[in-house]
Amino acid sequence: MIYVTRRAEFSASHYYHNPALSPDENRRLFGKCNNPHGHGHNYTLEVTVAGEVDPVTGMVLDLKDLKQLLESEVMELMDHRFLNEEVPVFRTVIPTTENIAIEIWRRLAPKLTLGQLHRIRLYETPDLYVDYYGD
Ligand code: NI
């Protein structure tokens, strides 16, 4: 098994709010992140695909295809978006780094035809990232 990783960057804004909680509880729990006008992040995404090297191509998968998949499934949906309002899933799911990583997994995993999605790593800042392995 070999692991191939592609990195991509996108910018998006969000805020944290749980409608099941009172305004006070939201403020206490999320602090500044509860401001409904949102704030921005420059996210770095790393998508790792695991597979075997095809003896004919010498590759696990065509990296151009992976780049295109990231464009159509992640960038078009999330880049320069206000996640809470413009990405349907985040109307009901809080767009934390964790939940964004899970959503990216859900969108990419079924579309990979060669190799298997192994990991989504999503950096919210250079010092902070989450890893998701699909379970
Ligand atoms: Ni934030």
Side-chain angles (χ1 to χ4, degrees):
M1 190 77 80
I2 195 160
Y3 299 86
V4 179
T5 299
R6 181 171 271 285
R7 182 177 293 160
E9 295 181 356
F10 64 96
S11 301
S13 60
H14 68 177
Y15 69 102
Y16 293 168
H17 180 80
N18 184 337
L21 303 176
S22 72
D24 276 354
E25 286 171 317
N26 270 288
R27 273 194 293 273
R28 201 175 324 122
L29 187 57
F30 298 124
K32 286 180 185 172
C33 295
N34 186 230
N35 177 349
H37 298 290
H39 60 272
H41 293 280
N42 295 317
Y43 292 98
T44 298
L45 170 65
E46 291 176 0
V47 174
T48 301
V49 178
E52 302 296 341
V53 175
D54 181 328
V56 176
T57 64
M59 299 186 284
V60 174
L61 77 172
D62 188 329
L63 287 173
K64 285 196 308 293
D65 293 345
L66 182 56
K67 185 174 185 182
Q68 261 181 345
L69 194 60
L70 292 187
E71 279 294 324
S72 62
E73 294 299 320
V74 181
M75 296 303 149
E76 283 180 23
L77 185 74
M78 298 189 187
D79 191 28
H80 287 77
R81 300 290 181 177
F82 188 9
L83 298 175
N84 302 70
E85 303 204 351
E86 294 186 272
V87 178
V89 66
F90 297 129
R91 292 198 186 113
T92 51
V93 172
I94 303 172
T96 55
T97 315
E98 293 90 327
N99 282 331
I100 298 168
I102 291 168
E103 177 60 14
I104 291 170
W105 178 287
R106 286 193 181 132
R107 297 182 68 86
L108 294 180
K111 300 255 168 105
L112 280 174
T113 50
L114 292 171
Q116 284 193 326
L117 192 52
H118 172 67
R119 183 183 74 194
I120 297 296
R121 173 168 286 180
L122 184 63
Y123 289 81
E124 185 181 272
T125 71
D127 297 331
L128 174 66
Y129 64 83
V130 302
D131 284 333
Y132 185 56
Y133 294 88
D135 49 19

